[in-house]
């Protein structure tokens, strides 16, 4: 019979502390996985060389100037992409390449 009051007290304490725990989880997920903008755009930062070398995207690592101009032009003509790079604090001149994903979303490679 003494277990019931203890269980009731534990449930009340858990209910009071749940919103604080949820806020901590949101911050932790942002740190681990980055921000989720829910805008159908994924931004991939390309760094010059190093241990995180990604051989699958050499066109983004070493783009031709004409390809960069075409990608920047495509971004500047699409209001959704302009809004997406502004939310992520990416300057238009840092856009290297733009791709359309299989699910219809857009991928922006930037430096």
């Amino acid at each position: 019979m003494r277990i019931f009051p203890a269980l009731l007290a534990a449930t009340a304490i858990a209910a009071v502390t749940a919103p604080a725990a949820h806020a901590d989880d949101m911050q932790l997920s942002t740190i681990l996985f980055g921000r989720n903008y829910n805008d159908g755009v994924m931004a991939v930062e390309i760094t010059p060389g190093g241990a995180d070398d990604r051989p699958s995207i050499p066109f983004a690592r070493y783009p031709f100037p004409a390809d960069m101009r075409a990608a920047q032009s495509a971004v500047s003509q699409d209001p959704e992409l302009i809004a997406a790079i502004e939310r992520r604090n990416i300057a238009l001149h840092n856009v290297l390449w733009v791709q359309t994903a299989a699910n219809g979303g857009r991928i922006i490679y930037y430096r």
Side-chain angles (χ1 to χ4, degrees):
M1 204 56 159
R2 292 184 182 185
I3 294 175
F4 182 71
L7 184 61
L8 186 61
T11 305
I13 291 171
V16 170
T17 59
H22 179 67
D24 291 341
D25 290 343
M26 292 299 288
Q27 291 174 355
L28 181 61
S29 68
T30 300
I31 291 170
L32 293 176
F33 306 112
R35 287 205 168 121
N36 187 0
Y37 294 98
N38 289 328
D39 58 1
V41 177
M42 183 174 79
V44 178
E45 183 176 11
I46 304 298
T47 57
D52 67 336
D53 213 8
R54 298 178 186 158
S56 62
I57 49 174
F59 57 85
R61 186 170 305 277
Y62 306 109
F64 292 110
D67 292 337
M68 283 178 50
R69 284 191 300 274
Q72 292 165 1
S73 174
V75 170
S76 68
Q77 294 174 3
D78 190 341
E80 291 178 10
L81 291 179
I82 286 289
I85 66 170
E86 286 175 354
R87 274 192 295 278
R88 292 166 174 85
N89 294 323
I90 301 170
L92 181 61
H93 68 271
N94 286 332
V95 173
L96 301 174
W97 190 264
V98 179
Q99 264 186 326
T100 301
N103 66 357
R106 303 296 295 251
I107 304 170
I108 297 175
Y109 297 96
Y110 70 98
R111 61 176 163 204

